[in-house]
Amino acid sequence: MAGLPRTVDDATIPRATAEVIGRAGLAGLTLAAVAREAGLSAATLVQRFGSKRGLHRVYGFSPGLAGALAQGLESECGPLGEPL
C-alpha cells in the first residue's frame, strides 16, 4: 500500500534542521522545531525518522559535527549570532 504523497520534499528537512541548529544550537534541536521550520507536524517527522536520533542518523548531524561547523564559521565570520 502506498502512503500519502509528501507535501514537503526531502531536501527541505535538512535545510530546516540546519536553520534550527543555527538558531538554537544542537542542544535546542527538537523535532517540533524542525517541523515548524519545514512546515510539517512533529508527528510527520516521527513517522519519517522515528526520533530525533533517527533524524541525526539520516542527515549526519552530531555534536562533534555541529561544534566543528560552529568553530569554522566563527573563524571565518566572527562570533556566531552577531550581524555580519
Side-chain angles (χ1 to χ4, degrees), residues 35-54:
R36 272 191 306 276
E37 185 71 31
L40 297 168
S41 70
T44 299
L45 290 182
V46 170
Q47 277 185 317
R48 288 193 194 181
F49 302 102
S51 65
K52 185 168 73 169
R53 179 171 288 182

Side-chain angles (χ1 to χ4, degrees), residues 21 63-80:
I21 291 171
L65 175 62
L69 289 172
Q71 286 178 348
L73 286 172
E74 286 182 340
S75 70
E76 292 294 320
C77 303
L80 296 177

Side-chain angles (χ1 to χ4, degrees), residues 4-43:
L4 294 173
R6 292 184 173 179
T7 58
V8 172
D9 66 69
D10 289 336
T12 300
I13 297 169
R15 281 194 300 266
T17 303
E19 287 292 326
V20 172
I21 291 171
R23 277 195 310 272
L26 197 60
L29 179 66
T30 65
L31 290 178
V34 173
R36 272 191 306 276
E37 185 71 31
L40 297 168
S41 70

